[in-house]
Amino acid sequence: MNGPALHEPPAPASWRVALPHTAAAVPIARALVRTALTEIESRADSDTAELLTAELVANAVEHTSGQTPIELVIELLPTGCQVEVHDSNPLPPGNLSDPGPMCEPDPWQEHGRGLLLIRTLSSSCGHRPTDSGKAVWFTLPAA
């Protein structure tokens, strides 16, 4: 052999699915994340992945106007998995990565706990701008 051997690690397994911009996307996303994590043999906790995915998709449906599909991306990482939800609203999600001092949810309200769940149960989370809006993501470690 002439020269050093080059070894490129294989690209991580991933799923990318467009979801309807309706509340029906939430149970579809839950089923898809469970199926994807089983298929790509992720060792991340699929119950937690389902719950956090449902929160991200519900937020995208509720806080984004129009009929533009929501995109769900599930990736196998060497240390677990990452789930992203893409939507058309470029504004960052409320208190996902920097909760601030007054972010405790009101115990009498039905809403306001989703981002707290994502911050608490994921190993990391955040958002980034995309060409068509933003992507909100979380990672889960391998169990």
Side-chain angles (χ1 to χ4, degrees), residues 11-19 28-42 71-77 81-86:
S14 66
W15 278 36
R16 183 177 291 263
V17 181
L19 299 172
I28 294 169
R30 288 182 76 110
L32 286 171
V33 78
R34 179 171 290 282
T35 301
L37 292 179
T38 300
E39 185 169 299
I40 62 179
E41 299 177 357
S42 173
E71 190 172 39
L72 175 66
V73 180
I74 306 159
E75 258 190 287
L76 179 65
L77 302 172
C81 76
Q82 179 169 304
V83 176
E84 285 187 347
V85 173
H86 296 233

Side-chain angles (χ1 to χ4, degrees), residues 63-65 87-93 127-136:
H63 299 292
T64 309
S65 61
D87 65 45
S88 62
N89 185 345
L91 296 176
H127 61 88
R128 63 181 174 78
T130 64
D131 290 341
S132 59
K134 71 174 171 303
V136 184

Side-chain angles (χ1 to χ4, degrees), residues 52 55-56 59 83 85 92-100 103 113-120 122 124-128 134-138:
L52 301 186
E55 292 295 338
L56 288 185
N59 283 348
V83 176
V85 173
N95 56 2
L96 181 62
S97 54
D98 185 16
C103 74
R113 292 169 186 79
L115 296 179
L116 173 64
L117 284 172
I118 293 166
R119 283 194 320 268
T120 304
S122 67
S124 61
C125 59
H127 61 88
R128 63 181 174 78
K134 71 174 171 303
V136 184
W137 57 269
F138 67 85

